Amino acid sequence: MERFDVAAEIIQEAGKILRRCHLEQAEISQKTGHQDLVTFWDRKIEQQLRHSILTAFPQDSIVGEEYPPQENCDRKVTWYLDPIDGTTNFINQHQNYAISMGCWEGADPLFGLVLDVERETLYWAKHGDGAWQNQTQIHTSGRRELAELLLTTPGLQYTFLESHPYQKQMIQLSRKVRGVRCLGSVALELCEVAAGRADLFVTMRSSPWDHNAARIILEEAGGAIFTVDGGELPLDQKSTVLALNDIELKNRILCV
């Protein structure tokens, strides 16, 4: 089987497990504090995905949220996995969380899949073949005026309330756009921009496994993605993220 076919199969299998699971309080633990959580299911799903990928493609490398990457850095194809993007939503709401799988050959994107688990909605894209929501092709919106734009961010407190070098700019931007929404999942919010239901996305902190699948979907849908200062988004480092429905907006957003 091709890598994409394997990915599409195993992400759906993992989604079925999460929809059926019953989360117990004892299965929840803190990483760095009470707002940074991990569950038994985060680790279980990542283990399952890793096993399936490496069984089919033992020559590939995996970078995931819960386990360190392999020491061999010479492997050409790398998978970026987030077993539950939106763990707090998974714990408190049991909705608005996703499984994210992005596959890259060096610095070249191959494909990305983001499964909105509870809605059973799969966002996916192969490089050069457009972006899709299940079997419907998706595109970013045509809105270009700041006053028409909907901005989404996964963490209101980190974007607008806590001190950081871009705080003033973010507050000014929030006043110029039509509205601000917070879903709490980087992958799903990038897919909202890809599908035209939001127009801008910003976060002060994101990891490669959070965005390296959805960025492929976004770009295939017509969008553009950068760091918050307009730089190239790194493939293998934590960073800020700014996503736009069209690159035409870049300079206007940066000059707010």
Side-chain angles (χ1 to χ4, degrees):
M1 295 178 68
E2 296 293 332
R3 286 182 175 87
F4 178 84
D5 297 324
V6 170
E9 179 178 312
I10 64 178
I11 200 172
Q12 294 286 10
E13 291 173 355
K16 290 177 184 177
I17 292 172
L18 289 177
R19 284 193 294 274
R20 293 194 302 260
C21 79
H22 298 284
L23 182 65
E24 304 291 341
Q25 187 63 37
E27 296 174 335
I28 304 169
S29 57
Q30 296 184 11
K31 289 183 177 179
T32 60
H34 72 285
Q35 293 184 336
D36 185 15
L37 304 173
V38 65
T39 73
F40 163 83
W41 296 99
D42 292 80
R43 297 188 175 109
K44 179 178 177 63
I45 294 300
E46 185 168 326
Q47 286 174 342
Q48 178 173 313
L49 295 174
R50 283 174 173 269
H51 175 77
S52 298
I53 292 166
L54 293 178
T55 298
F57 308 104
Q59 73 276 20
D60 290 0
S61 177
I62 296 175
V63 176
E65 180 170 14
E66 305 305 335
Y67 296 94
Q70 299 103 318
E71 293 183 2
N72 186 348
C73 298
D74 298 328
R75 301 178 183 184
K76 294 182 179 180
V77 175
T78 302
W79 299 64
Y80 294 89
L81 306 180
D82 195 338
I84 302 180
D85 183 49
T87 298
T88 296
N89 293 346
F90 173 68
I91 294 169
N92 282 51
Q93 302 175 331
H94 210 77
Q95 64 179 3
N96 298 324
Y97 65 94
I99 303 170
S100 178
M101 302 176 64
C103 190
W104 294 68
E105 185 170 7
D108 298 322
L110 298 179
F111 60 82
L113 303 97
V114 174
L115 178 64
D116 184 334
V117 176
E118 294 300 320
R119 294 179 179 86
E120 300 185 47
T121 299
L122 182 65
Y123 300 92
W124 58 277
K126 298 178 184 178
H127 181 60
D129 288 342
W132 303 78
Q133 179 179 326
N134 292 331
Q135 300 307 312
T136 301
Q137 192 164 11
I138 56 176
H139 303 276
T140 56
S141 75
R143 292 179 286 270
R144 299 292 183 265
E145 298 301 321
L146 288 182
E148 297 177 345
L149 304 182
L150 191 66
L151 168 67
T152 184
T153 182
L156 290 171
Q157 67 271 37
Y158 306 122
T159 304
F160 300 110
L161 302 180
E162 295 188 0
S163 179
H164 56 77
Y166 307 100
Q167 184 184 26
K168 182 178 179 181
Q169 180 185 359
M170 291 300 104
I171 292 173
Q172 290 174 337
L173 179 61
S174 72
R175 291 170 175 159
K176 290 182 179 293
V177 298
R178 177 168 285 168
V180 178
R181 299 292 181 268
C182 178
L183 189 59
S185 164
V186 170
L188 287 181
E189 292 186 40
L190 286 171
C191 288
E192 288 291 291
V193 179
R197 294 186 292 268
D199 310 293
L200 300 173
F201 167 87
V202 65
T203 181
M204 294 301 109
R205 54 186 199 178
S206 186
S207 297
W209 47 81
D210 295 322
H211 55 249
N212 274 347
R215 69 188 288 185
I216 301 173
I217 299 167
L218 172 71
E219 292 181 330
E220 288 293 321
I225 192 165
F226 306 93
T227 59
V228 166
D229 60 5
E232 181 179 354
L233 186 65
L235 184 62
D236 57 356
Q237 301 172 30
K238 294 183 178 182
S239 63
T240 62
V241 179
L242 169 66
L244 316 167
N245 62 12
D246 190 274
I247 197 170
E248 176 188 328
L249 284 174
K250 180 181 179 183
N251 289 336
R252 276 184 282 163
I253 298 301
L254 294 177
C255 293
V256 166

